[in-house]
Amino acid sequence: MATIISSILISNPVLANENSQARVNVTIEGVSGRSETNVRNRLSIYTYHQQAAPGISRLRYLHEMAYRDIRAALTPYGYYKFEVDSSLELIDDVWQAHYRITLGPAITIANIDIQFSGDGSNDSAFPSLVTRLNIRPNAQLLHADYERAKSRIRSLAAERGYYRARFVKQELRIDLESYTANILLELDTGPRFRFGRITFSEGHLDNDVMERFVNFEEGDYINSNELLELQLGLSDSDYFNRVEVQPLWQEADDEYRVPVEIDYEPILRTNYQTGIGYGTDTGARVRFDLNRRWVNSRGHRFNSQIQLSEILSSVAGSYIIPGRSPQTDQYAIRGLWTDEDTGNTQSERVSLGISWQTQLNRTQRILALDWLNERDRLDGERRDSSFLLPSAQWTRVHTENRLNISDGFRIALTLRGAAENAFSDADFAQATLSGKIVHRMSDRWRLLSRGEAGSSLSSSFDKIPTSLRFYAGGDTSIRGYSYRSVGPRNELDEVTGARHLLTGSLEVDYEFRPNWRFAVFVDSGNAFDDIAEPMKTGAGFGFRWQSPIGPIRIDLAHAFSDPGDSIRLHLTIGPDL
């Protein structure tokens, strides 16, 4: 099929006068978007756009090659029919190179024939992938989609253990007479490989502990995702300084079993951390952590933490035993002492307990049993209460990068309770549901929304200690109000804590320069005993800095209800989810 070739016109060549001051100006008409961008990138003469002109012979050559360059730029987008009207003129010491492109219809895909031979011919994963590819009959041909389809097929073969997979046919046939494209792909998957013997280098953990990290068995089909998850699970476990998971493809036997070698080096056994900080909810604080990353060859750990601050001081320790899958499952024996004085509430408490943490698909579950003894001051009187509290918590976090989040969400549900006839001072049940969503609206704009709802049931709520009641206000609750200042008050104007909680927040931020954002927000909610209580609202603006340790937020907020502040500073450090 013939394609119309544009004429080439050079007006006022002035060949005898090569003006060293002449510049080149290139204009392109008739295309837009990605096609225009590709034309500019492919057009050789465009290299000199707004630059000093090369020699006349060179300039004429580049102009004559323009049609070829434009064709190379447009065919990847399916445009095999087009016309180009071009001109090159010297006007007032400027070489004006002009290209007017008239696009014909884009070529469409007529037939797609994708076949699989070898062991993968009966693997349902390949036909399933084919239905999800971006190439479709009657759709516009985009060469990038064709190449992407081949890449996805190759990636799936590698992921599922077809180590020797190769295309024996990969044809994109362009029929200019019928003006259609036909795609023919045939992948010979070859044999499907299996996991062979799994070996570990000598190290600080027993082999049976290391084996519990491995979620596949010898003889299972190789899956690269399982190898990646193993690598990440070992790396994130905090047992190792270096981990390498290597399938030894060259050592595969006649049954296509591939040995897997896991080589590692232990991390420093004891880790100390100290820090000085400030938060508007805690005031100035000093913190000291001691982590014994492994106590013995069974992988047991010990963690401890001491924090001293103006508002909250605490000492915590936990002895952790790895479970069936050490990267996700663990048992803990834990203890905690805290002394808290917010100005609205005063309490000292000691808790001892055990917990079991495990991973359910993408959700983390923690089952726990804690004994709590708390001494607090309420209504001008000192109280001493004890509770045995079973609890269950489910948490799911979905995001690619916890420290710098573009899109993602977190949702958590906590249930806990106590019974008077089971070593507790009162019957008690409580549920708390919280969540947060981060959504990128464009390259620079994000929308952040969070909410929390909680409810308590008890026929003797006056016996419930302050730590088991609900409060609102503070950096992560309702900004514009001080920490735990929102809730029912007694005759002494003390915040007594509430049976129920409902808070929400809506925030928009804008990245005005790399790693810096400006945000505006509105928060609303209350901690209440009666649903008829009005909501408290605060609003304001702030700045975020994406530091190496995570976001640092500085907010100025105004409260619109008592007992809030006209202007209150909030400072928080930590991930968005």
Side-chain angles (χ1 to χ4, degrees):
M1 173 181 170
T3 302
I4 297 176
I5 301 177
S6 64
S7 62
I8 300 175
L9 172 65
I10 302 180
S11 301
N12 301 328
V14 198
L15 297 181
N17 181 22
E18 292 199 29
N19 190 338
S20 61
Q21 302 301 315
R23 299 173 66 82
V24 177
N25 182 65
V26 182
T27 56
I28 302 167
E29 295 183 37
V31 288
S32 60
R34 292 180 298 175
S35 298
E36 180 183 13
T37 301
N38 210 34
V39 168
R40 288 180 178 175
N41 292 337
R42 290 274 191 168
L43 198 58
S44 302
I45 198 172
Y46 200 82
T47 306
Y48 294 96
H49 178 59
Q50 299 300 320
Q51 304 292 325
I56 293 177
S57 298
R58 175 66 176 168
L59 194 62
R60 290 185 62 184
Y61 171 76
L62 295 177
H63 180 66
E64 291 169 355
M65 296 301 292
Y67 179 80
R68 183 205 64 177
D69 295 339
I70 292 170
R71 180 179 60 192
L74 294 178
T75 52
Y77 296 98
Y79 294 107
Y80 285 78
K81 286 183 177 180
F82 60 91
E83 296 179 2
V84 180
D85 292 328
S86 63
S87 62
L88 179 64
E89 297 179 277
L90 180 63
I91 303 175
D92 297 331
D93 290 334
V94 177
W95 285 103
Q96 299 286 350
H98 180 71
Y99 305 95
R100 175 175 295 169
I101 302 169
T102 304
L103 293 176
I107 201 167
T108 57
I109 301 172
N111 298 301
I112 300 174
D113 185 6
I114 303 177
Q115 302 174 12
F116 301 94
S117 57
D119 286 0
S121 59
N122 296 317
D123 190 336
S124 61
F126 289 108
S128 177
L129 172 65
V130 169
T131 64
R132 303 193 305 272
L133 296 176
N134 287 336
I135 50 176
R136 299 276 192 281
N138 301 318
Q140 178 179 344
L141 171 65
L142 298 174
H143 287 219
D145 285 346
Y146 168 70
E147 295 297 334
R148 194 176 295 115
K150 292 194 297 180
S151 177
R152 290 183 66 183
I153 292 171
R154 282 191 295 261
S155 296
L156 180 64
E159 176 188 319
R160 296 183 65 77
Y162 299 98
Y163 174 62
R164 297 177 183 169
R166 65 186 183 90
F167 280 109
V168 293
K169 290 183 180 178
Q170 43 182 329
E171 299 177 3
L172 174 59
R173 300 174 180 173
I174 306 298
D175 186 339
L176 293 179
E177 292 202 7
S178 64
Y179 207 60
T180 57
N182 297 282
I183 294 173
L184 174 60
L185 297 173
E186 182 179 339
L187 183 78
D188 179 4
T189 67
R192 189 175 186 185
F193 288 76
R194 299 176 182 267
F195 289 113
R197 187 167 56 93
I198 303 165
T199 58
F200 305 90
S201 60
E202 291 293 328
H204 59 305
L205 299 182
D206 291 344
N207 259 22
D208 66 317
V209 176
M210 294 296 299
E211 287 169 357
R212 298 209 302 269
F213 280 95
V214 182
N215 290 326
F216 51 83
E217 296 181 358
E218 184 176 344
D220 290 348
Y221 285 119
I222 286 182
N223 188 307
S224 62
N225 286 335
E226 291 181 339
L227 289 170
L228 178 61
E229 288 175 4
L230 175 59
Q231 175 79 48
L232 294 176
L234 290 166
S235 299
D236 293 344
S237 67
D238 207 28
Y239 285 122
F240 313 104
N241 183 52
R242 179 188 62 83
V243 177
E244 291 182 5
V245 178
Q246 291 290 343
L248 306 178
W249 296 101
Q250 303 305 321
E251 298 182 19
D253 59 21
D254 294 339
E255 297 180 343
Y256 304 109
R257 292 177 180 248
V258 180
V260 178
E261 184 177 82
I262 300 173
D263 185 42
Y264 65 90
E265 294 177 357
I267 199 168
L268 188 67
R269 188 168 192 173
T270 304
N271 172 252
Y272 304 93
Q273 288 185 328
T274 59
I276 298 174
Y278 179 85
T280 46
D281 282 356
T282 60
R285 62 178 180 266
V286 178
R287 176 172 168 169
F288 174 77
D289 293 357
L290 184 153
N291 298 320
R292 190 74 164 171
R293 287 169 167 144
W294 79 92
V295 174
N296 52 35
S297 62
R298 307 301 300 164
H300 295 193
R301 314 168 182 270
F302 176 74
N303 298 329
S304 62
Q305 179 190 105
I306 299 173
Q307 177 175 298
L308 303 175
S309 76
E310 300 174 60
I311 295 174
L312 176 65
S313 297
S314 64
V315 178
S318 57
Y319 188 88
I320 300 168
I321 303 169
R324 182 178 60 183
S325 297
Q327 59 268 60
T328 58
D329 297 353
Q330 64 183 33
Y331 304 91
I333 303 170
R334 59 193 188 182
L336 173 67
W337 170 84
T338 63
D339 183 32
E340 186 173 21
D341 185 354
T342 67
N344 293 303
T345 59
Q346 299 176 12
S347 68
E348 180 184 7
R349 56 187 179 270
V350 175
S351 67
L352 299 171
I354 57 175
S355 67
W356 173 33
Q357 173 183 307
T358 190
Q359 196 78 15
L360 305 174
N361 197 4
R362 297 182 181 179
T363 302
Q364 182 190 82
R365 183 190 68 190
I366 299 176
L367 302 178
L369 180 64
D370 294 281
W371 176 79
L372 170 69
N373 177 257
E374 183 165 345
R375 293 173 294 280
D376 59 19
R377 178 178 293 276
L378 194 63
D379 294 328
E381 297 182 1
R382 297 288 297 181
R383 303 188 307 162
D384 193 329
S385 56
S386 297
F387 284 81
L388 185 66
L389 293 163
S391 64
Q393 182 182 68
W394 295 267
T395 305
R396 182 172 179 181
V397 178
H398 178 75
T399 184
E400 294 183 359
N401 184 346
R402 287 294 302 273
L403 292 180
N404 191 358
I405 297 171
S406 295
D407 283 282
F409 67 86
R410 171 187 53 79
I411 186 168
L413 171 65
T414 301
L415 304 176
R416 60 182 175 180
E420 190 171 2
N421 58 5
F423 309 105
S424 300
D425 289 347
D427 294 330
F428 172 73
Q430 188 177 84
T432 306
L433 177 65
S434 63
K436 188 171 183 179
I437 297 174
V438 179
H439 174 62
R440 179 176 290 278
M441 298 183 292
S442 67
D443 289 342
R444 294 179 178 269
W445 290 92
R446 294 190 311 169
L447 175 68
L448 299 89
S449 179
R450 60 173 166 83
E452 184 175 14
S455 184
S456 306
L457 296 175
S458 179
S459 58
S460 305
F461 194 72
D462 58 314
K463 297 181 181 180
I464 303 302
T466 57
S467 66
L468 299 180
R469 301 184 179 198
F470 290 117
Y471 302 84
D475 301 339
T476 58
S477 179
I478 311 172
R479 284 163 288 188
Y481 302 82
S482 61
Y483 177 58
R484 300 181 75 170
S485 65
V486 176
R489 292 176 177 260
N490 58 19
E491 295 178 354
L492 300 175
D493 202 34
E494 298 172 328
V495 180
T496 60
R499 293 174 179 265
H500 313 293
L501 175 71
L502 184 63
T503 63
S505 174
L506 193 63
E507 179 175 316
V508 176
D509 66 26
Y510 172 75
E511 187 175 27
F512 60 91
R513 59 179 299 179
N515 296 323
W516 284 93
R517 296 179 178 275
F518 174 75
V520 292
F521 58 85
V522 58
D523 302 340
S524 189
N526 204 351
F528 53 89
D529 292 330
D530 186 348
I531 190 64
E533 287 289 323
M535 296 291 105
K536 310 289 186 180
T537 300
F541 66 92
F543 293 91
R544 283 91 180 91
W545 174 44
Q546 185 63 44
S547 76
I549 61 172
I552 297 176
R553 307 174 193 83
I554 301 175
D555 291 324
L556 290 175
H558 172 67
F560 296 97
S561 308
D562 289 333
D565 298 303
S566 56
I567 294 293
R568 184 171 185 83
L569 173 69
H570 295 272
L571 172 64
T572 55
I573 302 174
D576 288 316
L577 294 180

